[in-house]
PDB file of all heavy atoms in Angstrom:
ATOM      1  N   ALA A   1      -6.259 -28.762  14.124  1.00 98.00           N
ATOM      2  CA  ALA A   1      -5.102 -28.044  14.885  1.00 98.00           C
ATOM      3  C   ALA A   1      -5.550 -26.968  15.831  1.00 98.00           C
ATOM      4  O   ALA A   1      -5.066 -26.845  16.916  1.00 98.00           O
ATOM      5  CB  ALA A   1      -4.171 -27.526  13.788  1.00 98.00           C
ATOM      6  N   VAL A   2      -6.559 -26.157  15.336  1.00 98.00           N
ATOM      7  CA  VAL A   2      -7.149 -25.194  16.265  1.00 98.00           C
ATOM      8  C   VAL A   2      -7.904 -25.732  17.441  1.00 98.00           C
ATOM      9  O   VAL A   2      -7.686 -25.244  18.567  1.00 98.00           O
ATOM     10  CB  VAL A   2      -8.168 -24.277  15.410  1.00 98.00           C
ATOM     11  CG1 VAL A   2      -8.899 -23.301  16.412  1.00 98.00           C
ATOM     12  CG2 VAL A   2      -7.370 -23.473  14.413  1.00 98.00           C
ATOM     13  N   LEU A   3      -8.590 -26.850  17.225  1.00 98.00           N
ATOM     14  CA  LEU A   3      -9.135 -27.674  18.340  1.00 98.00           C
ATOM     15  C   LEU A   3      -8.032 -28.070  19.398  1.00 98.00           C
ATOM     16  O   LEU A   3      -8.164 -27.875  20.625  1.00 98.00           O
ATOM     17  CB  LEU A   3      -9.825 -28.851  17.853  1.00 98.00           C
ATOM     18  CG  LEU A   3     -10.390 -29.811  18.968  1.00 98.00           C
ATOM     19  CD1 LEU A   3     -11.553 -29.118  19.751  1.00 98.00           C
ATOM     20  CD2 LEU A   3     -10.955 -31.053  18.231  1.00 98.00           C
ATOM     21  N   GLY A   4      -6.942 -28.602  18.807  1.00 98.00           N
ATOM     22  CA  GLY A   4      -5.820 -29.029  19.684  1.00 98.00           C
ATOM     23  C   GLY A   4      -6.195 -29.988  20.713  1.00 98.00           C
ATOM     24  O   GLY A   4      -6.876 -31.044  20.496  1.00 98.00           O
ATOM     25  N   THR A   5      -5.913 -29.695  21.951  1.00 98.00           N
ATOM     26  CA  THR A   5      -6.198 -30.565  23.066  1.00 98.00           C
ATOM     27  C   THR A   5      -7.514 -30.256  23.854  1.00 98.00           C
ATOM     28  O   THR A   5      -7.932 -30.937  24.755  1.00 98.00           O
ATOM     29  CB  THR A   5      -5.111 -30.545  24.159  1.00 98.00           C
ATOM     30  OG1 THR A   5      -4.925 -29.176  24.543  1.00 98.00           O
ATOM     31  CG2 THR A   5      -3.805 -30.992  23.522  1.00 98.00           C
ATOM     32  N   GLN A   6      -8.285 -29.351  23.284  1.00 98.00           N
ATOM     33  CA  GLN A   6      -9.588 -28.941  23.900  1.00 98.00           C
ATOM     34  C   GLN A   6     -10.646 -30.022  23.638  1.00 98.00           C
ATOM     35  O   GLN A   6     -10.529 -30.727  22.598  1.00 98.00           O
ATOM     36  CB  GLN A   6      -9.974 -27.620  23.258  1.00 98.00           C
ATOM     37  CG  GLN A   6      -9.097 -26.400  23.384  1.00 98.00           C
ATOM     38  CD  GLN A   6      -9.592 -25.272  22.646  1.00 98.00           C
ATOM     39  OE1 GLN A   6     -10.397 -24.429  23.173  1.00 98.00           O
ATOM     40  NE2 GLN A   6      -9.152 -25.145  21.351  1.00 98.00           N
ATOM     41  N   ALA A   7     -11.576 -30.101  24.506  1.00 98.00           N
ATOM     42  CA  ALA A   7     -12.747 -31.074  24.290  1.00 98.00           C
ATOM     43  C   ALA A   7     -13.578 -30.551  23.110  1.00 98.00           C
ATOM     44  O   ALA A   7     -14.101 -31.507  22.343  1.00 98.00           O
ATOM     45  CB  ALA A   7     -13.576 -31.144  25.520  1.00 98.00           C
ATOM     46  N   SER A   8     -13.717 -29.302  22.962  1.00 98.00           N
ATOM     47  CA  SER A   8     -14.491 -28.774  21.815  1.00 98.00           C
ATOM     48  C   SER A   8     -14.099 -27.356  21.547  1.00 98.00           C
ATOM     49  O   SER A   8     -13.337 -26.725  22.287  1.00 98.00           O
ATOM     50  CB  SER A   8     -16.019 -28.792  22.125  1.00 98.00           C
ATOM     51  OG  SER A   8     -16.264 -27.879  23.188  1.00 98.00           O
ATOM     52  N   THR A   9     -14.455 -26.846  20.391  1.00 98.00           N
ATOM     53  CA  THR A   9     -14.146 -25.468  20.024  1.00 98.00           C
ATOM     54  C   THR A   9     -15.329 -24.908  19.132  1.00 98.00           C
ATOM     55  O   THR A   9     -15.915 -25.602  18.368  1.00 98.00           O
ATOM     56  CB  THR A   9     -12.897 -25.384  19.209  1.00 98.00           C
ATOM     57  OG1 THR A   9     -12.540 -24.005  19.054  1.00 98.00           O
ATOM     58  CG2 THR A   9     -12.915 -26.039  17.885  1.00 98.00           C
ATOM     59  N   SER A  10     -15.494 -23.569  19.395  1.00 98.00           N
ATOM     60  CA  SER A  10     -16.444 -22.796  18.451  1.00 98.00           C
ATOM     61  C   SER A  10     -15.660 -21.731  17.798  1.00 98.00           C
ATOM     62  O   SER A  10     -16.327 -20.727  17.436  1.00 98.00           O
ATOM     63  CB  SER A  10     -17.576 -22.243  19.326  1.00 98.00           C
ATOM     64  OG  SER A  10     -18.364 -23.271  19.911  1.00 98.00           O
ATOM     65  N   ASP A  11     -14.362 -21.877  17.619  1.00 98.00           N
ATOM     66  CA  ASP A  11     -13.576 -20.879  16.995  1.00 98.00           C
ATOM     67  C   ASP A  11     -14.115 -20.569  15.572  1.00 98.00           C
ATOM     68  O   ASP A  11     -14.267 -21.591  14.837  1.00 98.00           O
ATOM     69  CB  ASP A  11     -12.083 -21.392  17.003  1.00 98.00           C
ATOM     70  CG  ASP A  11     -11.217 -20.360  16.203  1.00 98.00           C
ATOM     71  OD1 ASP A  11     -11.127 -20.478  14.980  1.00 98.00           O
ATOM     72  OD2 ASP A  11     -10.619 -19.535  16.914  1.00 98.00           O
ATOM     73  N   PRO A  12     -14.365 -19.405  15.278  1.00 98.00           N
ATOM     74  CA  PRO A  12     -14.968 -19.040  13.951  1.00 98.00           C
ATOM     75  C   PRO A  12     -14.147 -19.463  12.782  1.00 98.00           C
ATOM     76  O   PRO A  12     -14.720 -20.038  11.752  1.00 98.00           O
ATOM     77  CB  PRO A  12     -15.180 -17.606  13.984  1.00 98.00           C
ATOM     78  CG  PRO A  12     -15.182 -17.134  15.411  1.00 98.00           C
ATOM     79  CD  PRO A  12     -14.275 -18.113  16.110  1.00 98.00           C
ATOM     80  N   SER A  13     -12.826 -19.415  12.830  1.00 98.00           N
ATOM     81  CA  SER A  13     -12.020 -19.761  11.697  1.00 98.00           C
ATOM     82  C   SER A  13     -11.973 -21.317  11.600  1.00 98.00           C
ATOM     83  O   SER A  13     -11.967 -21.839  10.461  1.00 98.00           O
ATOM     84  CB  SER A  13     -10.593 -19.262  11.863  1.00 98.00           C
ATOM     85  OG  SER A  13      -9.970 -19.798  13.028  1.00 98.00           O
ATOM     86  N   ALA A  14     -11.964 -22.076  12.630  1.00 98.00           N
ATOM     87  CA  ALA A  14     -12.028 -23.456  12.564  1.00 98.00           C
ATOM     88  C   ALA A  14     -13.332 -23.989  12.040  1.00 98.00           C
ATOM     89  O   ALA A  14     -13.406 -24.893  11.220  1.00 98.00           O
ATOM     90  CB  ALA A  14     -11.758 -24.127  14.006  1.00 98.00           C
ATOM     91  N   LEU A  15     -14.463 -23.350  12.462  1.00 98.00           N
ATOM     92  CA  LEU A  15     -15.649 -23.723  11.981  1.00 98.00           C
ATOM     93  C   LEU A  15     -15.874 -23.469  10.524  1.00 98.00           C
ATOM     94  O   LEU A  15     -16.489 -24.197   9.694  1.00 98.00           O
ATOM     95  CB  LEU A  15     -16.820 -22.973  12.746  1.00 98.00           C
ATOM     96  CG  LEU A  15     -17.077 -23.378  14.218  1.00 98.00           C
ATOM     97  CD1 LEU A  15     -18.004 -22.490  14.873  1.00 98.00           C
ATOM     98  CD2 LEU A  15     -17.600 -24.861  14.241  1.00 98.00           C
ATOM     99  N   ALA A  16     -15.399 -22.279  10.036  1.00 98.00           N
ATOM    100  CA  ALA A  16     -15.409 -21.909   8.644  1.00 98.00           C
ATOM    101  C   ALA A  16     -14.725 -22.937   7.791  1.00 98.00           C
ATOM    102  O   ALA A  16     -15.208 -23.368   6.711  1.00 98.00           O
ATOM    103  CB  ALA A  16     -14.763 -20.508   8.432  1.00 98.00           C
ATOM    104  N   ALA A  17     -13.530 -23.377   8.262  1.00 99.00           N
ATOM    105  CA  ALA A  17     -12.776 -24.399   7.479  1.00 99.00           C
ATOM    106  C   ALA A  17     -13.484 -25.688   7.472  1.00 99.00           C
ATOM    107  O   ALA A  17     -13.622 -26.306   6.365  1.00 99.00           O
ATOM    108  CB  ALA A  17     -11.398 -24.509   8.136  1.00 99.00           C
ATOM    109  N   PHE A  18     -13.962 -26.118   8.558  1.00 99.00           N
ATOM    110  CA  PHE A  18     -14.711 -27.467   8.681  1.00 99.00           C
ATOM    111  C   PHE A  18     -15.933 -27.434   7.829  1.00 99.00           C
ATOM    112  O   PHE A  18     -16.221 -28.257   7.038  1.00 99.00           O
ATOM    113  CB  PHE A  18     -15.025 -27.741  10.109  1.00 99.00           C
ATOM    114  CG  PHE A  18     -15.837 -29.068  10.278  1.00 99.00           C
ATOM    115  CD1 PHE A  18     -15.172 -30.224  10.403  1.00 99.00           C
ATOM    116  CD2 PHE A  18     -17.226 -29.030  10.242  1.00 99.00           C
ATOM    117  CE1 PHE A  18     -15.884 -31.425  10.666  1.00 99.00           C
ATOM    118  CE2 PHE A  18     -17.879 -30.223  10.462  1.00 99.00           C
ATOM    119  CZ  PHE A  18     -17.248 -31.507  10.656  1.00 99.00           C
ATOM    120  N   ASN A  19     -16.703 -26.296   8.011  1.00 98.00           N
ATOM    121  CA  ASN A  19     -17.980 -26.316   7.306  1.00 98.00           C
ATOM    122  C   ASN A  19     -17.940 -26.113   5.791  1.00 98.00           C
ATOM    123  O   ASN A  19     -18.865 -26.548   5.089  1.00 98.00           O
ATOM    124  CB  ASN A  19     -18.877 -25.119   7.915  1.00 98.00           C
ATOM    125  CG  ASN A  19     -19.499 -25.514   9.253  1.00 98.00           C
ATOM    126  OD1 ASN A  19     -19.889 -26.654   9.455  1.00 98.00           O
ATOM    127  ND2 ASN A  19     -19.584 -24.538  10.038  1.00 98.00           N
ATOM    128  N   ALA A  20     -16.869 -25.595   5.296  1.00 98.00           N
ATOM    129  CA  ALA A  20     -16.632 -25.532   3.872  1.00 98.00           C
ATOM    130  C   ALA A  20     -16.594 -26.939   3.297  1.00 98.00           C
ATOM    131  O   ALA A  20     -17.242 -27.117   2.208  1.00 98.00           O
ATOM    132  CB  ALA A  20     -15.320 -24.749   3.566  1.00 98.00           C
ATOM    133  N   VAL A  21     -15.910 -27.844   3.928  1.00 98.00           N
ATOM    134  CA  VAL A  21     -15.967 -29.248   3.510  1.00 98.00           C
ATOM    135  C   VAL A  21     -17.267 -29.927   3.831  1.00 98.00           C
ATOM    136  O   VAL A  21     -17.829 -30.633   2.901  1.00 98.00           O
ATOM    137  CB  VAL A  21     -14.840 -30.049   4.219  1.00 98.00           C
ATOM    138  CG1 VAL A  21     -14.764 -31.486   3.706  1.00 98.00           C
ATOM    139  CG2 VAL A  21     -13.462 -29.419   3.927  1.00 98.00           C
ATOM    140  N   HIS A  22     -17.815 -29.726   4.922  1.00 98.00           N
ATOM    141  CA  HIS A  22     -19.064 -30.362   5.456  1.00 98.00           C
ATOM    142  C   HIS A  22     -20.263 -29.987   4.467  1.00 98.00           C
ATOM    143  O   HIS A  22     -21.083 -30.744   4.134  1.00 98.00           O
ATOM    144  CB  HIS A  22     -19.313 -29.953   6.878  1.00 98.00           C
ATOM    145  CG  HIS A  22     -20.318 -30.687   7.625  1.00 98.00           C
ATOM    146  ND1 HIS A  22     -20.170 -32.027   7.906  1.00 98.00           N
ATOM    147  CD2 HIS A  22     -21.504 -30.351   8.115  1.00 98.00           C
ATOM    148  CE1 HIS A  22     -21.177 -32.405   8.554  1.00 98.00           C
ATOM    149  NE2 HIS A  22     -22.021 -31.469   8.698  1.00 98.00           N
ATOM    150  N   GLU A  23     -20.399 -28.634   4.161  1.00 98.00           N
ATOM    151  CA  GLU A  23     -21.569 -28.188   3.539  1.00 98.00           C
ATOM    152  C   GLU A  23     -21.431 -28.626   2.042  1.00 98.00           C
ATOM    153  O   GLU A  23     -22.483 -28.751   1.313  1.00 98.00           O
ATOM    154  CB  GLU A  23     -21.560 -26.682   3.566  1.00 98.00           C
ATOM    155  CG  GLU A  23     -21.987 -26.263   4.983  1.00 98.00           C
ATOM    156  CD  GLU A  23     -22.144 -24.778   5.060  1.00 98.00           C
ATOM    157  OE1 GLU A  23     -23.123 -24.176   4.521  1.00 98.00           O
ATOM    158  OE2 GLU A  23     -21.260 -24.018   5.620  1.00 98.00           O
ATOM    159  N   ARG A  24     -20.191 -28.764   1.464  1.00 98.00           N
ATOM    160  CA  ARG A  24     -20.088 -29.279   0.099  1.00 98.00           C
ATOM    161  C   ARG A  24     -20.786 -30.637  -0.037  1.00 98.00           C
ATOM    162  O   ARG A  24     -21.371 -31.016  -1.106  1.00 98.00           O
ATOM    163  CB  ARG A  24     -18.649 -29.374  -0.318  1.00 98.00           C
ATOM    164  CG  ARG A  24     -18.565 -29.924  -1.767  1.00 98.00           C
ATOM    165  CD  ARG A  24     -17.088 -29.878  -2.208  1.00 98.00           C
ATOM    166  NE  ARG A  24     -16.171 -30.710  -1.518  1.00 98.00           N
ATOM    167  CZ  ARG A  24     -14.964 -30.951  -1.921  1.00 98.00           C
ATOM    168  NH1 ARG A  24     -14.432 -30.430  -2.987  1.00 98.00           N
ATOM    169  NH2 ARG A  24     -14.184 -31.755  -1.163  1.00 98.00           N
ATOM    170  N   ALA A  25     -20.818 -31.407   0.986  1.00 98.00           N
ATOM    171  CA  ALA A  25     -21.462 -32.705   0.966  1.00 98.00           C
ATOM    172  C   ALA A  25     -22.983 -32.689   1.207  1.00 98.00           C
ATOM    173  O   ALA A  25     -23.682 -33.633   1.333  1.00 98.00           O
ATOM    174  CB  ALA A  25     -20.837 -33.563   2.081  1.00 98.00           C
ATOM    175  N   GLY A  26     -23.561 -31.461   1.242  1.00 98.00           N
ATOM    176  CA  GLY A  26     -24.945 -31.303   1.417  1.00 98.00           C
ATOM    177  C   GLY A  26     -25.482 -31.294   2.806  1.00 98.00           C
ATOM    178  O   GLY A  26     -26.688 -31.423   3.027  1.00 98.00           O
ATOM    179  N   LEU A  27     -24.494 -31.196   3.763  1.00 98.00           N
ATOM    180  CA  LEU A  27     -24.893 -31.159   5.124  1.00 98.00           C
ATOM    181  C   LEU A  27     -25.010 -29.727   5.694  1.00 98.00           C
ATOM    182  O   LEU A  27     -24.334 -28.809   5.224  1.00 98.00           O
ATOM    183  CB  LEU A  27     -23.887 -31.993   5.873  1.00 98.00           C
ATOM    184  CG  LEU A  27     -23.822 -33.382   5.417  1.00 98.00           C
ATOM    185  CD1 LEU A  27     -22.646 -34.130   6.085  1.00 98.00           C
ATOM    186  CD2 LEU A  27     -25.074 -34.212   5.815  1.00 98.00           C
TER     187      LEU A  27
END
């Protein structure tokens, strides 16, 4: 939702949310 219609985002809050899931998988 933070990304929205943008091609990409480096928004810190969006990255924190994504990485919480991503890093749990060992990535």
Side-chain angles (χ1 to χ4, degrees):
V2 171
L3 172 68
T5 59
Q6 303 173 87
S8 65
T9 184
S10 296
D11 179 271
S13 63
L15 289 172
F18 179 90
N19 282 326
V21 177
H22 194 65
E23 291 181 75
R24 179 174 64 172
L27 299 170

